[in-house]
Amino acid sequence: MALEVGLMNILIGLGLAPGAGEKVGDDLAKGVLPAGEKLGEDLGKRISKGLDKTGKFLTKSITAPLLAGAGGLIAAGLKYDEAIDSIRTGTGLKGDELDAVAESFQKVGESVAAPYENIAPVITELVQRLGLTGKPLEDLAQQILEISNLTGSAIDTEQVAKLFQAFQVPAEKQKDVLDPIFRARQATGIGFQDLISQVLSGAANFQEFGFNVEEAVGFLGSLEQGGIDSAAVLAGLRKGLAASVKDGGNLAKLEDERAKSLGKIEDATAALEVAEAKLAELRANPKAAQSSLLAAENQVEKLRGVIEDESKAVDGYNQAIAEGAKLAGVSTEQFFAQTVANIERLIATGDEAGAKALIGDVFGAKNIAPVLSAIERGTLDYEDFTQSIVNGSDTINQATKDNADFGDEFQKFRNALNNALGEEAQEIFTQLKDAELEFTTDI
């Protein structure tokens, strides 16, 4: 009680007590009552009723600062001041811009069960790296803090920001990206932060393939779910796509080679007609020398061999031209699907060696066994997996609500209370500092 009386004397001496009490009373009644009610039907109503009574009492009596100026006000004010100062230092914002971000900080605090010291760095990072303000800032900060609570591990806000920058996700859509990553985590067991880190490490390849961030997460998640090294697959796909583009660009050369083979076939066919006629004539002549007959037979066989070899070459060129035309400008999804289809065809025809060779070429040697297993199980379909995480119903916010307990609601209540007291305490501190008085939270 001696401490409260001492604070009371200071506040009265500075002429601050009546105004501060009235303002704090109003804020308590307006800002903290909703948070109090969330603590539970019985306890919440009692807290709300008590705060309501306190707020009205504060506006009528000189004893108001006895509550407002007690240790709770000083502690709340200093914590609030430290949080806003850290945002100010980290972002360089001042005046109205800082006030707007401070308002977002308060809203996030009243929505998420996280202490000030966890909220302020997230707000700062998102403003620094993404330039977010207002609702986009509040929504994304809330999701990051909630996923940290759900997983029990801090989320690297810097990496989240880099992910959005790498895939050029606009501010209004950023809040829609983290839920699919959350669902991918649920489906694969891969850590939320690990998924973000792995997608970031392959961002250049994913962008080259034309993937958006959800497709990148789906692709990586589906492979990792099957025990397949996604980094090796990305490298193989990149190599395969480059080869397909090259094949597409070599169509003219392939067509020239086919034309040459067709010309050889035409020449050999004409020569064969002459050679066969000569051989028939020799066979019909009983006096024909054996050596001449043998030479004519060899010529016929040689020409037939040329025609057979060049016909095979033409078949090969035809297939290469068809594949090249099909692959020229092919998308990653089509290339991936065609590769899987070719592997399935080889398996179906009993050519396991050919299937393994193709897997090794495209997916990497270390992935032969897991890719073969995934294809045989019919689980190597990243498009289906991507659709499942994009269109899934579970959300970070819903999981947070389902898992909420008394401790979570009480933390939000404390934040709401600190918000209500903090702003008023800052005004008091300004005048206390003018009087060269200092306070800490050690009360």
Side-chain angles (χ1 to χ4, degrees):
M1 181 60 70
L3 173 62
E4 285 82 350
V5 172
L7 289 171
M8 176 69 182
N9 290 336
I10 291 170
L11 294 170
I12 293 174
L14 292 172
L16 300 174
E22 184 175 349
K23 291 182 74 178
V24 172
D26 289 342
D27 280 348
L28 286 172
K30 294 176 182 176
V32 183
L33 291 180
E37 290 174 356
K38 291 181 181 179
L39 289 172
E41 187 172 343
D42 180 52
L43 180 59
K45 286 180 180 178
R46 282 185 288 150
I47 290 175
S48 299
K49 190 179 295 182
L51 289 172
D52 185 43
K53 182 178 179 181
T54 300
K56 292 175 182 177
F57 180 65
L58 288 172
T59 65
K60 295 178 180 178
S61 173
I62 190 65
T63 58
L66 189 61
L67 294 174
L73 174 63
I74 302 296
L78 286 173
K79 286 182 180 179
Y80 183 85
D81 187 63
E82 288 170 2
I84 300 304
D85 281 352
S86 71
I87 294 172
R88 158 73 178 87
T89 302
T91 63
L93 296 177
K94 301 176 184 177
D96 292 343
E97 290 182 333
L98 180 60
D99 290 343
V101 173
E103 183 178 345
S104 292
F105 168 81
Q106 291 184 8
K107 289 180 180 178
V108 172
E110 293 174 16
S111 302
V112 182
Y116 276 178
E117 57 266 28
N118 290 358
I119 299 172
V122 173
I123 293 285
T124 301
E125 198 82 49
L126 294 178
V127 173
Q128 282 177 329
R129 296 190 172 276
L130 298 175
L132 297 182
T133 58
K135 188 162 175 52
L137 171 63
E138 295 154 18
D139 288 342
L140 190 56
Q142 180 175 340
Q143 279 188 313
I144 291 173
L145 291 161
E146 285 180 343
I147 194 63
S148 295
N149 288 343
L150 289 169
T151 61
S153 58
I155 301 302
D156 189 335
T157 308
E158 179 182 351
Q159 286 220 318
V160 173
K162 286 182 177 179
L163 182 72
F164 293 142
Q165 290 170 330
F167 288 90
Q168 299 179 340
V169 182
E172 65 273 12
K173 293 187 179 295
Q174 289 169 2
K175 68 181 181 62
D176 300 325
V177 170
L178 296 189
D179 281 329
I181 300 177
F182 177 61
R183 297 180 197 120
R185 173 192 177 275
Q186 292 174 320
T188 65
I190 304 172
F192 190 90
Q193 188 65 58
D194 290 337
L195 279 169
I196 290 177
S197 298
Q198 290 181 43
V199 171
L200 261 181
S201 68
N205 284 330
F206 284 127
Q207 288 176 308
E208 187 176 345
F209 298 158
F211 282 15
N212 62 32
V213 64
E214 292 94 342
E215 290 168 336
V217 171
F219 181 82
L220 186 146
S222 65
L223 295 178
E224 294 289 343
Q225 187 180 38
I228 300 168
D229 181 2
S230 58
V233 172
L234 285 175
L237 281 176
R238 191 173 188 278
K239 179 181 175 183
L241 280 170
S244 75
V245 171
K246 181 179 177 182
D247 287 344
N250 286 335
L251 289 179
K253 183 179 178 180
L254 291 170
E255 288 171 351
D256 286 343
E257 294 297 325
R258 180 179 63 177
K260 290 178 183 178
S261 290
L262 289 172
K264 290 178 182 180
I265 292 172
E266 185 177 352
D267 292 342
T269 300
L272 179 61
E273 187 176 348
V274 174
E276 285 178 334
K278 184 177 180 179
L279 177 60
E281 183 180 336
L282 288 171
R283 284 176 175 171
N285 183 2
K287 296 181 179 181
Q290 188 65 30
S291 58
S292 298
L293 185 61
L294 184 59
E297 288 175 344
N298 287 341
Q299 181 65 12
V300 167
E301 289 301 316
K302 179 181 178 181
L303 291 171
R304 286 174 177 170
V306 169
I307 292 171
E308 183 178 354
D309 289 344
E310 293 301 327
S311 295
K312 289 180 180 178
V314 168
D315 288 342
Y317 291 131
N318 285 337
Q319 184 175 357
I321 289 168
E323 290 296 322
K326 197 188 311 180
L327 291 173
V330 72
S331 68
T332 306
E333 293 91 338
Q334 291 170 325
F335 181 77
F336 186 87
Q338 288 173 12
T339 300
V340 172
N342 287 334
I343 295 170
E344 290 174 338
R345 177 177 54 79
L346 291 169
I347 293 173
T349 58
D351 188 2
E352 186 171 320
K356 289 180 177 179
L358 181 54
I359 293 171
D361 287 342
V362 177
F363 298 108
K366 66 186 298 185
N367 282 323
I368 290 176
V371 168
L372 194 63
S373 175
I375 289 177
E376 289 175 342
R377 295 195 312 269
T379 58
L380 193 63
D381 191 339
Y382 81 90
E383 289 181 324
D384 282 352
F385 184 85
T386 300
Q387 288 303 310
S388 72
I389 64 171
V390 169
N391 298 324
S393 60
D394 201 11
T395 66
I396 296 169
N397 184 256
Q398 186 58 52
T400 298
K401 289 179 180 178
D402 292 344
N403 290 348
D405 56 20
F406 176 83
D408 295 327
E409 294 302 333
F410 188 73
Q411 178 63 62
K412 288 188 281 187
F413 169 76
R414 284 175 58 185
N415 289 345
L417 185 61
N418 284 341
N419 288 343
L421 295 174
E423 285 190 315
E424 314 311 334
Q426 279 193 312
E427 295 181 16
I428 294 173
F429 293 160
T430 300
Q431 298 184 54
L432 291 176
K433 288 175 184 176
D434 291 341
E436 298 182 351
L437 296 172
E438 295 183 359
F439 291 92
T440 69
T441 54
D442 298 326
I443 296 176

